[in-house]
Amino acid sequence: MLAFAIRRLIQAIGVMLVVAMISFVMFRFVGDPVSQLVGNDTPPAERAQLRKELGLDDPIYVQFARFVDKAAHFDFGISYQIKQPVSTLIAQRLPATLELSIVSAILALVVGMPMGVYTGLYPHSWLSRLFLAISLAGISLPTFLIGILLIFIFSVNFGMLPSFGRGDVVSLGGYWTTGLLTRTGLQSIILPSITLGLFQMTLIMRLVRGEMLEVLRTDYIKFARARGLSRRAINFGHALKNTLVPVITITGLQLGSIIAFSIITETVFQWPGMGLLFLQAVQNVDIPIMAAYLLLIAFLFTLINFIVDLLYVAVDPRIRIGGAKA
Amino acid sequence: MTAALSVRNLRVEIPTRRGVLTAIDDLSFDIAPGEVLGVVGESGAGKSITGSAIIGLLDPPGRVAGGEILLSGERIDNLSPSAMRQIRGKRIGMIFQDPLTSLNPLYRIGDQLTETILTHEAISAKAAAEKAERLLVEVGIPAAGTRMSSYPHQFSGGMRQRVVIALALAADPELVIADEPTTALDVSVQAQIIALIKRLCKDRGTSVMLITHDMGVIAETADRVCVLYAGRLAEIGAVRDVVKRAQHPYTHGLMAAIPSLIDDPNEKLEQIPGSMPRLGAIPAGCAFNPRCTYRFGRCMRERPGIYPVGASDASCFLHDASGEAPPAAVVRNAIDAGIDVRASEGAEP
Ligand SMILES: Nc1ncnc2c1ncn2[C@@H]1O[C@H](COP(=O)(O)OP(=O)(O)O)[C@@H](O)[C@H]1O
Ligand SMILES: [Mg+2]
């Protein structure tokens, strides 16, 4: 188990280094950092001076090592546009994005799993057909359209829920701001989290359904029936548990995508998260923010993957013995 | 004495897009208490479907469309799903072909055993665990105590099948249906597994329906044998009789095709020409008629009933003493081959 964790950890570090390299290349070669920092009328001598001070004359690998070292200490430099440390900017925005993403993921899981189990157990019932029809909409409608539709219905037409922003937030220990403890904060997160989670929800539902249908056909389920076990024991004990490995994988990977793709939802709902920050950075060619965002997203993906791998081992005993499952 | 299992005129249908297939057609047989009935037939003859129908686990859309199934005299084919669940595992145990896929990979075998025991018996978890361990010892798992916490993938195929047997016998059922229990195993362990099933069921007085296509296994293990062909009964009788003096031309051909049962090593193995028809293409009259050396006019028109021949029963017009008689040439050939044509009439030896 420990060896397994260590092996995965080394792989994760390798992945992060590759991403850091991409991020570094972007940082270093997309546009000239010096010309971003100084005005057009700065004399060449002064530019050369600045270049030297910033270490841009050092060999590439030294620069890269410095970049990695700084990134490991959460130092991503100063935003060209906002003139503040990137790490501060991201730290301010991170809670909003993570809260939205996690609420969306939980929503997707809590609604998608039971729907998947139900449609798997009763594939021919009319409710299952209804779920499948809804899920088709969830999969095929683009996120921004769903967001706009929800705003139109619940904010514009009924005036029930706010259409933008995060509502009131509470600061926790100075590091974290949460909207989950205030009324307006909770109201504000409903529409964006549905928008962001709908696609994943339908994905999870279809996945669980497919896995359930498959597992219910296996010999060990037939044998469990032949042993006279109760339906509950068969459906939830034996069948559902066997669908969990792929569900964990997909949910984990989807959590990463949710965080990454929150950009669109944040834009539609003017949600003050990293996605919005990133989008502004793109518009302003604010390379430090883009590079940091890229690294952060990659880090979250890798972290989630790592946790998913460990969860596998907890669920499926076969992985423990053979080491990594092919 | 009431039969442990009595199947009466069983008919199983599978509705498909191209019409309703009759997978089992008018099948009847009994299994006495403590008796081992072998069920043989080519692949696709309907052996597994018969087993599934008895235990009430036909894969949809398959359904019992006629006849009765009685367990110790009580009808079980018309029970509600929950009543049938009380019977499965508790009164009828089932062993499937592939031990590698019969066990849930995610649960320790001890847990799978105790779960089964607790489903059928109102005893404490501790008593169930003790019983589970006793069962593992009984089926010959070495170091049963520590193996309780092993997962299925940590066992060999033969050992897994022993676990499956322990699971099937966990609630001391009165009938065990073993559907090709050794087909998926190494030849070296097949005999051990069969011997184990036979011994355990004998000790407990459990009746066994042993499905196989291996006549050798039947000859060694079963008391009686039931031969299926295209979902219909061809012949049923004591193993000794059927092996030595098969009365249905199909059974006769089957026996001739088995090397171990031929006394003279120089005798040529015979093969029945042709193959068993698909369910949708069963010919009119006797299902076996296109492949039969002894067929005559009636075989193509009418479906034979079941006729007694000595202590056996066979579904072949050669044994029907009442209807149209077979032509003399056919009778002569059949008698030469050792078939007791129209024996019940007393006309021929
Ligand atoms: N769902 C199904 N649809 C159509 N035919 C089926 C279905 N299930 C089984 N059959 C047919 O029923 C027949 C008997 O099958 P089975 O009992 O499994 O044979 P076996 O004697 O080899 O165990 C076979 O011809 C098989 O093709
Ligand atoms: Mg079969």
Side-chain angles (χ1 to χ4, degrees), chain B residues 14 16 21 23 42-50 61 180 279:
Chain B
I14 306 172
T16 68
L21 302 175
E42 287 168 65
S43 173
K47 307 182 294 292
S48 298
I49 288 201
T50 306
E180 310 211 20
L279 285 186

Side-chain angles (χ1 to χ4, degrees), chain A residues 218-231 233-234 236-245 315-322, chain B residues 52 55 57 59 85 88-90 92-96 98 101-108 112-113 115-116 119-120 151 153-154 164 167-168:
Chain A
T218 59
D219 288 352
Y220 56 82
I221 292 298
K222 189 163 188 195
F223 188 49
R225 291 205 178 106
R227 283 185 279 146
L229 301 187
S230 71
R231 276 171 66 139
I234 291 170
F236 295 100
H238 289 264
L240 186 59
K241 191 169 179 188
N242 272 284
T243 67
L244 283 188
V245 166
V315 171
D316 195 333
R318 284 167 298 185
I319 298 170
R320 225 168 287 170
I321 296 306
Chain B
S52 299
I55 200 165
L57 285 179
D59 289 324
R85 218 162 22 240
R88 281 199 287 270
K90 176 85 184 129
I92 306 178
M94 184 121 189
I95 300 167
F96 289 105
D98 193 350
T101 56
S102 289
L103 298 168
N104 190 329
L106 302 188
Y107 288 96
R108 299 169 202 278
Q112 301 195 39
L113 268 165
E115 181 186 25
T116 310
T119 303
H120 299 297
Y151 288 94
H153 69 270
Q154 295 168 305
V164 168
L167 279 162

Side-chain angles (χ1 to χ4, degrees), chain A residues 264-281:
Chain A
I264 297 168
T265 307
E266 290 186 7
T267 311
V268 172
F269 288 92
Q270 287 299 300
W271 189 262
M274 291 190 307
L276 213 53
L277 181 71
F278 176 73
L279 222 60
Q280 287 156 1

Side-chain angles (χ1 to χ4, degrees), chain A residues 2-307:
Chain A
L2 190 64
F4 174 79
I6 290 172
R7 198 162 56 231
R8 281 296 142 102
L9 201 60
I10 292 171
Q11 285 171 2
I13 291 172
V15 169
M16 282 312 295
L17 277 178
V18 171
V19 177
M21 205 165 328
I22 296 168
S23 184
F24 169 72
V25 167
M26 185 168 88
F27 188 71
R28 179 66 187 75
F29 298 106
V30 177
D32 179 6
V34 172
S35 61
Q36 298 283 346
L37 286 172
V38 298
N40 277 339
D41 47 357
T42 313
E46 213 169 296
R47 285 181 183 240
Q49 172 68 17
L50 191 59
R51 184 171 289 277
K52 199 166 159 55
E53 274 171 26
L54 290 174
L56 295 176
D57 292 335
D58 294 338
I60 283 292
Y61 60 87
V62 174
Q63 290 190 40
F64 179 59
R66 199 184 299 133
F67 177 84
V68 170
D69 180 55
K70 282 186 170 177
H73 294 92
F74 300 108
D75 179 357
F76 301 102
I78 310 282
S79 153
Y80 298 158
Q81 191 70 26
I82 314 176
K83 311 288 187 212
Q84 282 183 37
V86 172
S87 49
T88 315
L89 289 173
I90 287 194
Q92 283 168 0
R93 303 297 195 103
L94 191 65
T97 296
L98 284 189
E99 250 171 33
L100 175 61
S101 304
I102 289 171
V103 169
S104 303
I106 290 174
L107 190 76
L109 208 57
V110 166
V111 180
M113 282 260 283
M115 278 167 81
V117 170
Y118 181 85
T119 49
L121 289 179
Y122 308 103
H124 302 298
S125 86
W126 64 267
L127 194 57
S128 295
R129 291 174 206 274
L130 183 70
F131 284 164
L132 284 178
I134 293 174
S135 83
L136 207 60
I139 283 203
S140 47
L141 287 183
T143 308
F144 72 89
L145 196 61
I146 293 172
I148 290 170
L149 274 175
L150 287 177
I151 290 178
F152 181 72
I153 296 171
F154 293 99
S155 304
V156 179
N157 254 7
F158 294 112
M160 294 194 300
L161 296 168
S163 62
F164 67 90
R166 213 181 157 201
D168 297 326
V169 293
V170 180
S171 171
L172 296 178
Y175 296 107
W176 194 270
T177 56
T178 179
L180 299 180
L181 296 176
T182 66
R183 224 176 93 85
T184 52
L186 284 175
Q187 284 176 339
S188 297
I189 207 168
I190 294 177
L191 293 187
S193 59
I194 292 176
T195 306
L196 186 54
L198 195 64
F199 179 78
Q200 331 293 336
M201 187 191 90
T202 55
L203 203 69
I204 288 172
M205 181 196 118
R206 283 174 171 264
L207 178 76
V208 172
R209 171 177 177 272
E211 289 291 323
M212 278 299 271
L213 286 174
E214 183 114 328
V215 168
L216 287 173
R217 273 199 300 266
T218 59
D219 288 352
Y220 56 82
I221 292 298
K222 189 163 188 195
F223 188 49
R225 291 205 178 106
R227 283 185 279 146
L229 301 187
S230 71
R231 276 171 66 139
R232 216 184 63 222
I234 291 170
N235 292 343
F236 295 100
H238 289 264
L240 186 59
K241 191 169 179 188
N242 272 284
T243 67
L244 283 188
V245 166
V247 170
I248 290 172
T249 319
I250 300 294
T251 311
L253 294 179
Q254 287 304 314
L255 183 61
S257 320
I258 285 181
I259 296 172
F261 290 115
S262 65
I263 293 177
I264 297 168
T265 307
E266 290 186 7
T267 311
V268 172
F269 288 92
Q270 287 299 300
W271 189 262
M274 291 190 307
L276 213 53
L277 181 71
F278 176 73
L279 222 60
Q280 287 156 1
V282 170
Q283 281 159 5
N284 301 320
V285 203
D286 200 338
I287 301 288
I289 291 186
M290 287 160 68
Y293 182 79
L294 181 65
L295 267 179
L296 187 71
I297 293 293
F299 175 72
L300 288 173
F301 260 93
T302 321
L303 180 72
I304 290 165
N305 259 347
F306 182 65
I307 295 172

Side-chain angles (χ1 to χ4, degrees), chain B residues 5-27:
Chain B
L5 178 77
S6 188
V7 172
R8 299 264 138 265
N9 309 102
L10 178 67
R11 182 180 178 88
V12 175
E13 291 179 349
I14 306 172
T16 68
R17 232 167 286 155
R18 276 173 292 127
V20 176
L21 302 175
T22 305
I24 301 296
D25 198 350
D26 201 19
L27 175 64

